[in-house]
Structures are given as C-alpha cells and as structure tokens.
Amino acid sequence: MTTAVQPRQRTQVSPWKPLLVRQYRLLWIAQFGSNIGTWAQTLGAQWLVAGHGSALVGVVQTATALPMFLLVLPAGAVADLLDRRRLLLVAQLVMLVVVAGALALLTLVGGLSTISLLAFTFLLGCGQAMMAPAWQAIQPELVPRDLISQAAALNTTSVNLARIVGPAIGGLLVAVAGAGWTFGLNAVSFVGAVVVLTLWRRPADLTPSRTSGLFRALAEGISYVRRSSPARRVLLRVLLFVPASCVIWPYLPVVARQHFGWGSAGYGVLVGAFGLGATIGALVLPHVRARYGPNELLMLAGTGFAVALLVVGFVPLAAVVMPALIVAGMCTLTALSTFNTSMQLLLPDSMRARGLAVYQLIFHGGMAVASPLWGWLGDWLGVAAGCVLAAGLLGLGAASVRWSSLATLDSPRSV
C-alpha cells in the first residue's frame, strides 16, 4: 500500500555544500580523476572506429553499457551483503591492473584489433557494473540526508566536468601520440580512488553481516522495487528519457567529421560542450529546484533536449550546435539528478544497493539496446532523421509526466 507523503518544503542549498564533508570530498576528487581517464579512453576508442560509420561507434557504447545490463543486479545484491568499501576497492584494482593496464599495453605495442578493443571495453564495463550500486549506495553514509540531492548532482557533475577535461586531453593525446596513450591515462586514473578507498575506515555498524544468500537477496530487492509504486514511476521515467537521449553519442563523431570536417580534437570540443552544459546545470539546479518540483524539471529536461537534438541534426554551423549541446548537457544533468535523488530517498539502507541496481539496469540496459539502433538508423537514413525520431520520443516522454508523475517524497520506505 502506498502511504501518502506531504511534499517537502523546497529550500535552496548550496550545490557545493557536500564537499565540506571530508570523506565525501576525497572520494569525489578521486572519482573525478577516474572519470577523466574514462572519458579520455572513450574518446580514443570511439575515434578509432569512427571512420567505419556511426553504427560501430554505437557498438562501442553498447560494449560499455551492456555489462551494466548483465551484472548490475547481482552487483547490487553483493553490495548489500558485503562491505561496500572493500567491494569498491577490489573493483578499482581489477580495472587498474587487469583491464585498463593491459589494454594500454596492447595498444602501444600495436596488437589491438577492433574485436579486442570491444572486448576490453566490455571488461571495463564489467568493472563499472560491479562498482556502480555500491558507489551510489554509500552516498547517504557520506552526507546528511538533506544534502543527498546536492550530492547526487555533484556526482553527475563529476562525470560531466570530466566530460570536458577528459575528451580535451584525449583528443590531444590521439592527435599527438595516438589512441594508446588515452588508454594509459585511464589506467593511471584509477590510482587515486584506490588510495582513498584504502584509507577510508567505514564505521563498523555499517558493515553488514551476511544473513541471506545471493539469489535470495536478489529476489528480495526485485520484489521490493516491484511492490513500490513510487519506485516504478521513477524507472518508467528513466526508460522514457535515457534510450532517446543517448542518440547523441553515436552521432557526435559523425557530426564532427562530416558536418564540420574536424579531427579528434574538434570532436573532443563537442563532447566538452555537452559536459560544460551539465556543469552549468549542476550550478543552477538548486536554484531551479527551489522553484519547481521534480515533474516540472523532467518536462523541461525532455523538451529542452528534444529541441537541442533538432539543432544538432539540421544546423551545420558549429556556432549554433555548440550552444545546443550545452543545453542538452544541462537537460541531462537535470533529469539524471532527479532520477537518482528520487531513488535514494525512496530506498531504505538495507535495500538501497539492490534498488539502485534495478535503476542502473534500466538506465544502462536502455543505452545498450538503443545506442547501436540509433547508429544503424543514422547510417541508413542519416543523422537528421535519427535526431527527429529521438526528439519526438523525448517530447512524448515530457508530455507523459502529466498523467504519470513522480511522487514528491521526503521519506523513503513508502511501498
């Protein structure tokens, strides 16, 4: 049964306030460094295959997102059963030594093929999948409850600030030294997170005692989300936004090459514009959230992203496309922060990693399925047609908020 909850009072809080918490600040900085390496490598990998068409670029995106679809649910169960700090530490070490380091070495010695690139990208995605639920689930341990929405926005900001810096560095590295050095940068970027996680002493009362098996824990988490009407509505909104919005990634390398005649550095500038928009979005979101509720924010995000896609698809002028990408980044930050905050506030600690794993499943599963489809559609009908279709889907999703809205919650555990 769903318990009626009074809307919370909307108060404006500084977007940077969670960074005053020492442990959160250290982990955020370490994760930011890791995100820079991830985006530099993403640019290097996508640029290596961009000459073969947007479909193969979409396959690279799928190789990154598919592990989330396959592994994130058991990863969420493991994160609720075991010590989350140790799980994060092991995942970072494996990605550093076994995957990212090996990929960089193989590329630098000239032994990298398209198949091996996709395979290593998939393995890195596996590491991210094992880490994602635990990383999101520890956020309420790091900051007070009234700062969760700001922390969620800052986590997304970390990704998008890195989306500015990482592609810029990656584009220069590809142009000057080759794509292999972007993979090496990614390997080094895991070191900071390993050090911070090693030094973090998580309170003993937050370390769970294993009371059920993996499959039982997994079933309990899925059942909880299935019975929670507010959680189901969040997941529906994710499904209506994410697959359509990810159209931008298989198309941007093609736009850089074919519309503007740019190389890898120019492509990095386009990706950086999107990241800049997300960063601006994180700065203004607390002010906007003080005035509008989550449903109004999702309507604005879907509509704004749809308009930006039409500009990207039809306007062959970089001076116009760049502002459109900034708008798209702002809209993405707004939507993802709203989704994440809603799920964080809905879930009790004992179910948080598993509930967030279901959220990640919908999020990354939508990307894994949609990205190659958008790429193949772009090769078949052109980038403009793909942008029109995606914009239409985002517009419908924004309009549907009126009859399938999110609950405005100040308390979790409403089922």
Side-chain angles (χ1 to χ4, degrees), residues 178-254:
W181 290 98
T182 66
F183 305 150
L185 175 63
N186 188 38
V188 173
S189 72
F190 289 113
V191 173
V194 169
V195 171
V196 173
L197 288 167
T198 300
L199 297 176
W200 180 28
R201 293 296 175 259
R202 193 170 178 236
D205 59 345
L206 293 176
T207 302
S209 58
R210 182 165 183 162
T211 58
S212 61
L214 175 63
F215 292 106
R216 180 178 176 182
L218 185 58
E220 289 172 349
I222 295 173
S223 176
Y224 184 91
V225 173
R226 181 178 57 83
R227 290 183 290 109
S228 172
S229 175
R232 292 200 308 270
R233 288 185 176 234
V234 175
L235 297 178
L236 174 62
R237 303 257 56 94
V238 173
L239 192 59
L240 292 173
F241 182 86
V242 170
S245 66
C246 74
V247 69
I248 201 80
W249 301 117
Y251 289 175
L252 270 189
V254 178

Side-chain angles (χ1 to χ4, degrees), residues 19 21 29 107 109 113 165 171 244 272 311 337 340 352-353 411:
L19 293 175
V21 181
I29 292 171
T107 307
V109 299
S113 65
V165 179
V311 173
S337 177
N340 191 281
R352 185 169 291 118
S411 174

Side-chain angles (χ1 to χ4, degrees), residues 23 26-35 85 88-93 95-96 131 135 187-200:
Q23 191 59 51
L26 293 175
L27 284 169
W28 188 90
I29 292 171
Q31 192 67 11
F32 175 55
S34 181
N35 288 334
R85 182 193 72 88
L88 289 168
L89 182 57
V90 170
Q92 293 279 354
L93 283 170
M95 287 190 290
L96 165 62
M131 189 178 67
W135 171 253
V188 173
S189 72
F190 289 113
V191 173
V194 169
V195 171
V196 173
L197 288 167
T198 300
L199 297 176
W200 180 28

Side-chain angles (χ1 to χ4, degrees), residues 37-356:
T38 296
W39 277 106
Q41 172 169 308
T42 298
L43 182 138
Q46 290 181 338
W47 193 255
L48 280 177
V49 302
H52 301 287
S54 57
L56 193 53
V57 177
V59 173
V60 172
Q61 182 67 42
T62 297
T64 302
L66 185 59
M68 285 287 185
F69 183 76
L70 299 175
L71 299 177
V72 73
L73 287 181
V78 170
D80 277 338
L81 293 174
L82 303 180
D83 184 275
R84 291 166 184 166
R85 182 193 72 88
R86 292 182 181 177
L87 178 61
L88 289 168
L89 182 57
V90 170
Q92 293 279 354
L93 283 170
V94 170
M95 287 190 290
L96 165 62
V97 178
V98 179
V99 184
L103 174 59
L105 181 61
L106 186 62
T107 307
L108 292 173
V109 299
L112 185 70
S113 65
T114 300
I115 297 298
S116 59
L117 172 62
L118 293 174
F120 275 104
T121 301
F122 179 83
L123 290 174
L124 280 170
C126 290
Q128 295 286 352
M130 293 304 299
M131 189 178 67
W135 171 253
Q136 293 205 7
I138 65 171
Q139 302 307 305
E141 302 174 19
L142 300 172
V143 298
R145 182 176 176 77
D146 62 343
L147 295 182
I148 287 178
S149 61
Q150 282 70 33
L154 279 174
N155 292 337
T156 307
T157 301
S158 169
V159 176
N160 289 289
L161 278 172
R163 192 181 262 134
I164 301 172
V165 179
I169 296 174
L172 290 174
L173 284 175
V174 171
V176 174
W181 290 98
T182 66
F183 305 150
L185 175 63
N186 188 38
V188 173
S189 72
F190 289 113
V191 173
V194 169
V195 171
V196 173
L197 288 167
T198 300
L199 297 176
W200 180 28
R201 293 296 175 259
R202 193 170 178 236
D205 59 345
L206 293 176
T207 302
S209 58
R210 182 165 183 162
T211 58
S212 61
L214 175 63
F215 292 106
R216 180 178 176 182
L218 185 58
E220 289 172 349
I222 295 173
S223 176
Y224 184 91
V225 173
R226 181 178 57 83
R227 290 183 290 109
S228 172
S229 175
R232 292 200 308 270
R233 288 185 176 234
V234 175
L235 297 178
L236 174 62
R237 303 257 56 94
V238 173
L239 192 59
L240 292 173
F241 182 86
V242 170
S245 66
C246 74
V247 69
I248 201 80
W249 301 117
Y251 289 175
L252 270 189
V254 178
V255 169
R257 281 180 178 270
Q258 298 181 3
H259 290 194
F260 305 144
W262 289 354
S264 60
Y267 170 47
V269 169
L270 292 180
V271 177
F274 187 96
L276 175 61
T279 304
I280 295 172
L283 295 176
V284 303
L285 185 57
H287 306 274
V288 178
R289 188 181 279 123
R291 183 173 182 181
Y292 298 104
N295 295 296
E296 291 88 350
L297 291 175
L298 291 180
M299 291 180 67
L300 289 171
T303 303
F305 204 118
V307 173
L309 281 179
L310 294 177
V311 173
V312 171
F314 286 94
V315 181
L317 297 173
V320 179
V321 169
M322 296 280 284
L325 289 173
I326 292 174
V327 170
M330 295 174 65
C331 293
T332 297
L333 182 284
T334 299
L336 299 191
S337 177
T338 302
F339 299 148
N340 191 281
T341 300
S342 298
M343 289 299 289
Q344 292 277 11
L345 293 175
L346 282 167
L347 297 166
D349 182 74
S350 61
M351 289 287 175
R352 185 169 291 118
R354 282 169 280 182
L356 289 168

